[in-house]
Amino acid sequence: MDYQTLAELLFPEVIETPEEVEKRFPPRNLPEGAKVTRFAPSPTGFIHLGGIYGAAIDERLAHQSGGVFYLRIEDTDAKREVEGAAEALILTLAEYGLVFDEGAVIGEDGKITDRGDYGPYKQSQRGPIYRVFAKKLVSEGKAYPVFTTGEELEKLNAVDKKAEVKNKVWTEETAALQKEKMKKEREFTLEEVKAHLVRGDRFVLRILADGNGERTLKTADLVRGTLELPENDEDFVLLKSDGIPTYHFAHAVDDHLMGTTHVIRGEEWLPSLPKHLQLFRYLGFRPPKYLHTAQIMKLDENGNKKKLSKRDMGLDMKDYRRNGYAPECVSEYIMTLLNSNYDEWRLKNPDLPYTDFPFSIKKMSNSGCLLDFPKLTDVSKNILSRMSAEEVYEKLLAWAKEFDQPFAQTLESDPAKAKAILAIGRGGKKPRKDLATWKDAKPYMSFFYDEYFKVEDSYPDAFPKEDIAAVLRAFLESYDDADGADVWFEKIRVIASSLGYAADMKEYKANPDAFRGSVADVSMFLRVAVTGRINSPDLYTVMQIIGKKSTSERIEGMMKALA
Ligand code: GLU
C-alpha cells in the first residue's frame, strides 16, 4: 500500500507538516524541575470532589515547582456539553484556590479570558492540529480508515465508545468477533478508498495496533509504582467520523504540544494507558509522567468502603456549597487526604496558608481515599475558628444571601451586632469552634435576635421554681447594663449568697450539703432565661450584645412562665 497516497486522499486539505506545528509549540522555557500540569475537564457542568482533588494535585505540583498549571477544555463530545459550564467551572475552581496560569483564566477585570502561547485551549478549536498528526500516522502506515455509512456508522461509533471510553469488560465472544471484524477492516485497496470518497462516505480513523494482548508492558505510575498491563492489540479509533478526535488521540497530541510533564487523572483511564503509550511511540513523542488517582470512597451503613455515587452528598461541589462548607475548609480537608503528614504539619503551623505545606507525591497513599465527614467537620471548625469575625461575617453573609435570605437580612440589619456575636471567643490560643459550616451559624446565633429567640432548654428538675424566680427577680432589680464584667458578676455572687447558694465554687465543693446550689447554678438560671439554652457563650457578653431591653424582656418573660 502506498501510505503517502492514502494520506493525501484522506486529508487533502492538510498542508501543514508536523514539524511546522511543532515550531508553533516550542518547548517551554522553565527552570529545571518545573512541572507542567493541566486540568482537563469535559464541560458537563458537573464538578465533583474527585475533580477538585485531582486539580489540587495538579495545582500544587505546578506551583510548588515554579511550573505551569493550565486548563484545557475537553469539549469534543458536543452532546455532553452544557452551556456556560466552562465558565462556572473556572469560577468554582477559583473558589477552591485553583487558579490557572494558562488556558481560560480570570482576568484582572474578573472576566474570563484566554491566556497562553499553547492554545487554543479548547479541543473543539484544535481540529486542524489533530488532522496534521492523523495524516502523519496514515502516511507511515500506522493508522487506517474504516468507511461506513449511515446506520452502520452509528453502530460503530457506539461500539467504540463502549469499548474505549468506558473500558467495558467484553465477553470472549464479542472480543473474538471484534477481532475478526478488525482484521477484515485492515484489508482494503486505494481504489476502494477512492470510490468511498467519491460517494461522499465518511470514515473513522483507527490506529493499526502493533501490540500483542498476551504480552505485558511494564510502565510506571507515580503513586502505584511499576505496572504490568497487557499490550494494546486493539485498533482503537483516533478520529471519529465527524473528524473529531477521541480522548486518546487528543490526549497524546495536546499533552505533547502543550508541554505537559505530569498527567494526573482518574484511575478509570488506567486500562487505556497501553493505548496512550503506543500512540506516543507512534507519534515519536516522549510520554508524560502519569499519576492515576483512586476514586474517593465512603463508608456504607455496614462499614464497608463504597464508591461515592452521584446521589451521595459529598460528590457534587454544589452540595458542599448549599450545605455551607467554606471552600477554604474543603481545600484544607483535601490536603489531609493527599498527604498523611499534613495534620502534623498543621499542628506545628496553625497560621500558615496550606500552600506552604511541602506537598509530596511520595507521601500519597495508593489505597484510595475515604471521605470522612466527621474529619471534614473537625478540619472546618479549625479553619473557621481562625478567621477574623469580619471575614466570617462577609463569607457567611454571601452564603446566606444565596441560601437563606431572611437570615441574610437579619445579619445585614445590624452588621456591628452580627460581627460582635461572631467575635465571641475568637482570636485567643483556644478559639471557640462553634461553626463547621455556614449552615451552623443560624442555629448558633439565632438566640441573639428577638425574631428567632425561643426557649429551647428547660431548667433541670432539681431546682425549685421559686429559687429560679427569686434569682431572676433579684437580678432584674440590680441589673445595670453599664456595669463592667466584674461588677456584673459580683452582683450575681451577692444574689447567690442571699438565696443560700454558694458564691464561691471552692467553698461549694468543700461542703455541698451546706448550700442549695452554687453561683454556677444561679448563672445557669439567668442563662436559660436570656439565651433559652443551658449552654451559651459568655453570658455577660451575650447580655451586652442583646442589650438591656431585650435582656430584661426575656427575663420578665421567663418569670411569667414560671409563675
Ligand atoms: N476529559 C477527561 C475526563 O474528564 C480528562 C482526563 C485527563 O485528565 O486526562 O475524564
Side-chain angles (χ1 to χ4, degrees):
M1 169 83 63
D2 176 356
Y3 297 124
Q4 195 59 51
T5 306
L6 178 62
E8 287 307 331
L9 281 173
L10 296 177
F11 300 100
E13 82 287 3
V14 175
I15 39 175
E16 203 174 14
T17 64
E19 292 71 31
E20 282 162 348
V21 177
E22 296 276 358
K23 269 206 197 105
R24 291 198 279 125
F25 296 89
R28 291 167 181 272
N29 191 8
L30 289 170
E32 177 82 23
K35 299 181 173 74
V36 179
T37 60
R38 84 293 193 283
F39 186 53
S42 310
T44 57
F46 177 59
I47 309 166
H48 59 90
L49 190 69
I52 299 280
Y53 175 85
I57 304 174
D58 285 319
E59 191 275 341
R60 286 292 73 218
L61 287 183
H63 290 157
Q64 228 171 239
S65 64
V68 175
F69 171 48
Y70 73 89
L71 175 69
R72 183 172 67 232
I73 302 285
E74 308 218 320
D75 56 349
T76 54
D77 192 348
K79 277 192 258 36
R80 290 171 65 209
E81 188 161 352
V82 176
E83 183 70 26
E87 286 70 20
L89 181 133
I90 294 162
L91 294 172
T92 302
L93 287 168
E95 282 177 27
Y96 290 90
L98 304 169
V99 179
F100 300 103
D101 308 306
E102 239 183 71
V105 299
I106 303 175
E108 266 149 37
D109 55 358
K111 293 217 175 82
I112 293 168
T113 43
D114 256 352
R115 181 192 298 159
D117 298 332
Y118 293 80
Y121 293 89
K122 272 190 170 176
Q123 288 184 331
S124 60
Q125 296 168 1
R126 297 173 68 82
I129 298 174
Y130 303 122
R131 280 192 288 279
V132 170
F133 291 94
K135 186 174 185 177
K136 169 186 156 86
L137 290 178
V138 173
S139 73
E140 293 170 355
K142 293 171 181 161
Y144 65 96
V146 180
F147 282 90
T148 39
T149 47
E151 256 173 55
E152 213 185 340
L153 182 80
E154 253 169 39
K155 249 197 251 152
L156 194 70
N157 276 340
V159 168
D160 288 335
K161 256 208 192 97
K162 265 198 215 134
E164 298 181 6
V165 180
K166 296 202 175 126
N167 293 304
K168 272 244 162 105
V169 182
W170 286 45
T171 63
E172 291 205 355
E173 199 186 345
T174 38
L177 277 175
Q178 184 69 9
K179 277 230 172 86
E180 202 48 43
K181 188 162 161 273
M182 195 176 88
K183 256 203 203 133
K184 267 198 223 132
E185 284 161 352
R186 284 182 175 186
E187 308 293 327
F188 55 86
T189 63
L190 278 180
E191 272 49 54
E192 282 165 351
V193 170
K194 277 184 203 151
H196 276 299
L197 290 172
V198 167
R199 278 210 301 273
D201 291 345
R202 304 216 273 179
F203 63 90
V204 300
L205 190 73
R206 289 173 177 275
I207 197 165
L208 187 77
D210 66 351
N212 175 347
E214 314 277 296
R215 283 202 308 254
T216 54
L217 163 121
K218 258 201 189 153
T219 181
D221 175 277
L222 291 170
V223 169
R224 291 158 202 255
T226 306
L227 301 170
E228 293 200 23
L229 298 166
E231 287 183 9
N232 176 56
D233 59 358
E234 185 191 322
D235 289 359
F236 61 91
V237 175
L238 301 175
L239 292 179
K240 293 179 257 186
S241 59
D242 49 10
I244 290 177
T246 54
Y247 168 79
H248 311 306
F249 192 45
H251 156 51
V253 172
D254 290 345
D255 281 316
H256 165 72
L257 292 177
M258 295 176 168
T260 309
T261 61
H262 291 65
V263 167
I264 288 89
R265 62 183 181 187
E267 65 186 350
E268 66 275 19
W269 295 110
L270 204 49
S272 313
L273 187 52
K275 291 188 172 123
H276 303 155
L277 294 174
Q278 186 172 62
L279 201 41
F280 274 90
R281 175 162 53 81
Y282 277 19
L283 288 162
F285 301 158
R286 189 174 142 176
K289 293 203 163 76
Y290 288 97
L291 190 166
H292 291 89
T293 58
Q295 287 250 13
I296 298 186
M297 315 284 268
K298 65 163 195 178
L299 287 183
D300 68 8
E301 312 75 51
N302 307 320
N304 298 322
K305 278 192 182 184
K306 220 187 112 213
K307 279 183 188 166
L308 272 187
S309 83
K310 274 203 185 184
R311 263 166 291 133
D312 283 320
M313 156 62 201
L315 192 64
D316 191 340
M317 295 326 286
K318 285 200 195 99
D319 294 339
Y320 288 86
R321 209 182 149 78
R322 198 179 43 248
N323 286 305
Y325 285 95
E328 295 85 337
C329 300
V330 178
S331 296
E332 176 87 4
Y333 175 61
I334 286 180
M335 292 309 294
T336 69
L337 290 177
L338 286 179
N339 272 185
S340 54
N341 56 329
Y342 184 79
D343 285 318
E344 198 186 317
W345 176 86
R346 176 50 86 205
L347 271 179
K348 285 196 199 123
N349 304 283
D351 297 316
L352 293 182
Y354 76 84
T355 44
D356 281 13
F357 170 75
F359 166 69
S360 145
I361 294 178
K362 288 200 188 77
K363 296 237 161 63
M364 282 180 75
S365 125
N366 61 1
S367 61
C369 48
L370 198 62
L371 179 56
D372 174 358
F373 275 101
K375 169 94 190 195
L376 172 60
T377 299
D378 251 27
V379 166
S380 301
K381 283 185 173 175
N382 281 332
I383 295 288
L384 296 190
S385 76
R386 296 191 167 275
M387 286 182 181
S388 69
E390 184 75 34
E391 194 178 355
V392 170
Y393 174 76
E394 294 302 335
K395 291 182 167 161
L396 170 60
L397 182 61
W399 178 82
K401 278 185 173 166
E402 204 173 337
F403 297 103
D404 187 349
Q405 284 91 3
F407 186 48
Q409 272 170 18
T410 301
L411 293 169
E412 270 187 311
S413 67
D414 189 346
K417 175 173 173 173
K419 287 178 204 170
I421 299 169
L422 294 168
I424 298 175
R426 216 163 262 287
K429 264 222 145 67
K430 279 209 161 157
R432 291 184 63 94
K433 294 180 182 171
D434 303 289
L435 312 179
T437 66
W438 302 132
K439 225 182 186 172
D440 296 339
K442 185 152 120 188
Y444 169 65
M445 299 170 77
S446 58
F447 72 82
F448 284 93
Y449 296 97
D450 290 340
E451 64 259 47
Y452 294 119
F453 172 73
K454 61 175 193 290
V455 178
E456 289 170 8
D457 295 336
S458 43
Y459 289 111
D461 290 338
F463 299 98
K465 273 187 189 177
E466 297 71 37
D467 283 20
I468 300 168
V471 165
L472 299 183
R473 194 176 320 113
F475 180 80
L476 274 190
E477 275 163 15
S478 70
Y479 175 41
D480 182 349
D481 65 336
D483 287 343
D486 291 347
V487 175
W488 174 87
F489 190 57
E490 193 46 42
K491 282 183 176 175
I492 293 177
R493 286 159 56 109
V494 169
I495 294 170
S497 284
S498 72
L499 295 168
Y501 284 71
D504 183 279
M505 288 311 285
K506 256 197 225 130
E507 221 180 301
Y508 176 68
K509 279 194 186 128
N511 196 2
D513 293 339
F515 302 97
R516 298 174 72 77
S518 75
V519 67
D521 301 319
V522 169
S523 299
M524 181 268 287
F525 298 166
L526 285 166
R527 181 184 308 277
V528 173
V530 174
T531 69
R533 304 171 186 193
I534 291 271
N535 296 307
S536 82
D538 174 60
L539 189 58
Y540 173 77
T541 314
V542 168
M543 287 186 182
Q544 289 290 306
I545 293 174
I546 294 178
K548 175 153 188 158
K549 187 166 165 286
S550 293
T551 301
S552 305
E553 279 170 8
R554 291 180 187 187
I555 294 177
E556 278 158 13
M558 184 56 91
M559 284 165 66
K560 268 199 204 115
L562 289 171

